[in-house]
Every structure is written in C-alpha cells, then in structure tokens.
Amino acid sequence: MSAIVLWDPKYPHNVGQAVRAASCFGVEKLYVVGSRVDLEGSKRKGYRLPREERMRGVYDVEIIPTERPFDVEPSLVPVAIELVPGAELLPYFEHPTDAMYVMGPEDGSLPAVALRHCHRFVRLPMDHCANLASALYITLYDAHCKDVLSGRTGPRGLVRTT
Ligand SMILES: C[S@@+](CC[C@H](N)C(=O)[O-])C[C@H]1O[C@@H](n2cnc3c(N)ncnc32)[C@H](O)[C@@H]1O
C-alpha cells in the first residue's frame, strides 16, 4: 500500500487536488509536512484547506500532519519525485509495491533534509516542471498503468462521479 508526502505545501487547492489524486488511485494516506496550509480549518492565519477535503471520508484519504513522515511509515520506500541530477526517468521507473511518494512544494523543491531520506529519485520527462498536483497525478497514473500492463491489478473502476 502506497502513501504520499507533501513537503511544506503552500496552497490549499493543491493539497485538495493531491487528496483527490490519492483517492482516484486508492492511496489512503497523505502526510503533510509544514504548517503553511491549515488542515483543520481553524481560525488561525494561513491558507485553509477547502471544506470538501477536510470532511473525513469524502475521498477516503486520511490527511496526516507530521514533521517526521519517514519515521511514521518505516516499511515504505521513500521515492522523491523531484528534478534532481541523476534521477530516474518515470517511464523507465519500476515502482516499489510500497512506495511513499515525496513531493516538493509549489514554490520550491524538496530540501536536503527530505532528499536524504529518499531511496529512489524520479523525474517526470517534460520541458517545464508541472504543478504539484499534476506531477502527482502523472506519477500515480504511471504506477497504475504499469500495474495493469504487468497483470498485477486490473484497471481501477469508477466508484463515484463527483
Ligand atoms: C511546481 S514544482 C516546484 C517548482 C520547481 N521545483 C521549480 O524549480 O520551479 C512542485 C513539485 O512538483 C514535483 N514536480 C513537478 N514537475 C516535476 C518533474 N518534471 N519531475 C519531477 N518532479 C516534478 C516536484 O515534487 C516539485 O517539487
């Protein structure tokens, strides 16, 4: 079972879209490092996650704030999705069964403190960087396609239309 880490995301709509991407591909846990997005919807300053994503169960994805995502799920293989030198190209990448996909912030990249925990490094082949949620969709879709084409799973079905 895979999981996702968003490292210090800035905008709530990107967190919301990441939640939706996770839900589309059956990823049940989304860890969020940092405090720039208000995940609880409290009155404190900061960007507030849209209500839909805050409502437990809407997308079957647990949003988990943490400063130490790698300690929480030590059995998962941390995979940095980032433009770093020497990164493997996504089309050739064999996804670990238990991957923890680690995504950088919209206004930066994964910091050294995150990269040094990652075991694999993957770059999406494109002329410009994609936005955070798009990069996540592409990564999860690629993993799912490879699962389907190898016969490990069947294609996911449409479970809801909203
Ligand atoms: C909009 S990008 C951040 C900006 C980017 N670091 C830059 O230099 O302009 C947000 C995150 O999406 C992911 N990302 C976007 N495009 C990517 C690509 N082509 N390959 C790998 N990761 C990508 C990375 O996790 C990145 O930190």
Side-chain angles (χ1 to χ4, degrees):
M1 181 55 72
S2 298
I4 293 162
V5 176
L6 301 184
W7 199 277
D8 203 21
K10 183 171 183 182
Y11 298 115
H13 60 266
N14 271 329
V15 178
Q17 287 169 7
V19 170
R20 191 161 185 150
S23 175
C24 284
F25 292 102
V27 180
E28 293 172 357
K29 289 182 179 175
L30 185 134
Y31 293 94
V32 180
V33 177
S35 56
R36 293 196 290 176
V37 174
D38 176 6
L39 301 172
E40 305 298 332
S42 61
K43 293 271 193 278
R44 74 172 175 74
K45 263 184 150 179
Y47 298 107
R48 192 175 170 192
L49 191 67
R51 183 171 174 273
E52 211 171 37
E53 282 77 17
R54 275 185 283 119
M55 282 168 63
R56 202 175 285 257
V58 168
Y59 288 120
D60 307 322
V61 178
E62 199 180 347
I63 305 169
I64 306 164
T66 177
E67 293 307 308
R68 305 177 74 87
F70 307 109
D71 294 347
V72 181
E73 299 260 15
S75 61
L76 300 184
V77 180
V79 177
I81 307 298
E82 191 55 270
L83 294 156
V84 287
E88 296 176 71
L89 278 171
L90 184 63
Y92 307 111
F93 182 65
E94 276 189 43
H95 297 258
T97 323
D98 298 319
M100 176 181 253
Y101 297 106
V102 187
M103 314 293 301
E106 303 89 323
D107 57 344
S109 328
L110 283 171
V113 66
L115 291 173
R116 73 167 159 260
H117 284 93
C118 292
H119 299 184
R120 309 285 295 274
F121 304 86
V122 175
R123 176 169 80 78
L124 283 48
M126 49 182 65
D127 292 343
H128 307 278
C129 70
N131 80 24
L132 173 55
S134 304
L136 180 59
Y137 267 106
I138 291 167
T139 302
L140 297 180
Y141 177 70
D142 181 85
H144 182 55
C145 283
K146 286 168 180 165
D147 279 345
V148 171
L149 292 175
S150 68
R152 281 190 292 274
T153 63
R156 301 194 70 84
L158 186 63
V159 289
R160 62 164 73 88
T161 55
T162 53

